Amino acid sequence: MSARILNGTLLAQQIRGELAAAVMDFHQRHGRPPGLGIVLAGEDPASEIYVRGKLKAAAEAGMRADLERLPASASLREVLAVVDRLNRSPLHDGILVQSPLPAGMGATAEQQVFDAIDPAKDVDGFHPVNVGRLVQNRATLAPCTPSGVIELLDRSGIEIAGARAVVIGRSEIVGKPMALLLLNRHATVTVCHSRTKELADVAATADILVAAVGRPAMVRLGFVKPGATVIDVGVNRLTDAADVARIFPPGAPQHATFARRGSVLVGDVHPEVADVAGALTPVPGGVGPLTIAMLMRNTLHAAQARMARAQGPAA
Ligand code: GUN
């Protein structure tokens, strides 16, 4: 093991501390805290955990956070009605609809819901207006996970400008906005995906390698240039003992976790990569906590911008 481990939990704590003062100031000025409405449809176990984390972080930051729950059997129309109510709510500055929506809502449901969110309250940065602003390098609300990666690189002293960055994954939530944020910070960016030829060779050109594909331990030694910074966005739950035995070396703490809980988390990056990478984010405790910190920051910024608009231009 040679890689420097980039501790996202610690950095997120630091950011939340910085935000708490600004949240208190907002509350004093406007007589209410910044407010976030979270919509959760269905019972996806991973979404339940993520949403619980978001609600807890908001409460700790002194924000208001309301969970709007809908059953998996809810219709798309019902989700849109909740979004419409939150769009008009004076108490909510930010709206987040947790992805994925239940499959029964149809293939385009997520896009329709994200399109319906008021762009000024779109703390996920998924609305086409906010995506367009990101493309033009004038984003006000950028997606939380890739923003968290940038924050983590900055606060860890890793130079982005001029670096060769490779992003594996082209999702709307992580891969695409990650590539744009890195490009806006003057990295030379390559985006890889399921059809990329010689994927390992392309990945091994990276000074900064971001893995966001959702495939357990896919990024192996051969993908990583010695000394590269490797950012693992994947959160995959292993429930098969054979997978755990195959991926983690004997004596790794994950074996005890698996014995205790019957499952264990692994990222998209194989643990062996720690032997060659210069710096590496752990899973859990890497990018995840930064994602939540960026959601808090976006909610505060949305709230500040909304109140500034309500007050009109300064005299
Ligand atoms: N599901 C997984 N990541 C995210 C995210 O960043 N935002 C939302 N809304 N859903 C998610």
Side-chain angles (χ1 to χ4, degrees):
M1 162 95 65
S2 63
R4 170 182 165 209
I5 301 300
L6 305 175
N7 187 335
T9 306
L10 213 63
L11 289 175
Q13 214 174 344
Q14 195 183 327
I15 295 166
R16 286 208 302 268
E18 293 162 12
L19 289 175
V23 168
M24 213 182 301
D25 178 65
F26 180 95
H27 196 152
Q28 274 169 3
R29 270 173 206 266
H30 303 291
R32 66 165 184 91
L36 173 65
I38 298 180
V39 184
L40 176 59
E43 278 133 36
D44 178 71
S47 292
E48 296 276 350
I49 294 170
Y50 293 146
V51 165
R52 211 177 308 145
K54 291 169 183 177
L55 290 168
K56 183 165 172 272
E60 281 171 8
M63 295 189 188
R64 175 193 179 117
D66 296 306
L67 176 60
E68 302 276 355
R69 260 185 181 283
L70 291 131
S73 58
S75 65
L76 174 57
R77 187 196 290 254
E78 286 171 286
V79 178
L80 290 170
V82 174
V83 168
D84 181 54
R85 178 157 49 76
L86 291 170
N87 277 343
R88 286 183 285 107
S89 164
L91 296 175
H92 296 96
D93 307 285
I95 303 170
L96 178 149
V97 179
Q98 187 67 25
S99 166
L101 288 172
M105 288 186 190
T108 64
E110 228 155 72
Q111 205 163 55
Q112 290 185 61
V113 169
F114 294 150
D115 286 1
I117 295 172
D118 177 350
K121 293 190 176 187
D122 171 33
V123 285
D124 259 327
F126 296 162
H127 189 283
V129 165
N130 287 321
V131 176
R133 294 182 69 89
L134 178 61
V135 170
Q136 295 182 343
N137 195 13
R138 54 192 184 110
T140 44
L141 295 170
C144 300
T145 299
S147 298
V149 171
I150 296 289
E151 198 67 31
L152 189 137
L153 292 169
D154 282 344
R155 290 182 185 241
S156 304
I158 292 160
E159 180 84 16
I160 301 174
R164 278 185 190 279
V166 173
V167 180
I168 310 180
R170 55 175 160 178
S171 70
E172 309 295 336
I173 292 182
V174 185
K176 282 186 199 171
M178 184 77 258
L180 288 164
L181 283 171
L182 287 164
L183 180 63
N184 291 346
R185 291 289 301 273
H186 315 293
T188 301
V189 184
T190 302
V191 182
C192 299
H193 46 79
S194 53
R195 307 275 183 95
T196 298
K197 292 182 178 141
E198 279 107 38
L199 174 61
D201 291 344
V202 179
T205 64
D207 303 310
I208 298 171
L209 178 61
V210 181
V213 263
R215 284 182 53 193
M218 189 200 88
V219 172
R220 305 293 303 251
L221 275 184
F223 286 58
V224 179
K225 179 165 76 176
T229 296
V230 180
I231 305 292
D232 191 353
V233 181
V235 183
N236 310 291
R237 188 168 290 279
L238 300 179
T239 53
D240 185 337
D243 289 335
V244 179
R246 190 170 45 79
I247 292 172
F248 294 104
Q254 282 83 0
H255 294 290
T257 305
F258 184 77
R260 206 168 53 243
R261 297 193 188 151
S263 73
V264 70
L265 296 180
V266 68
D268 291 348
V269 177
H270 196 286
E272 69 189 13
V273 165
D275 293 336
V276 292
L280 176 64
T281 60
V283 175
V287 174
L290 269 298
T291 298
I292 295 185
M294 293 300 101
L295 174 63
M296 299 304 115
R297 193 171 74 178
N298 277 354
T299 303
L300 174 66
H301 287 172
Q304 288 168 332
R306 197 153 79 95
M307 296 321 283
R309 271 195 310 277
Q311 283 163 356

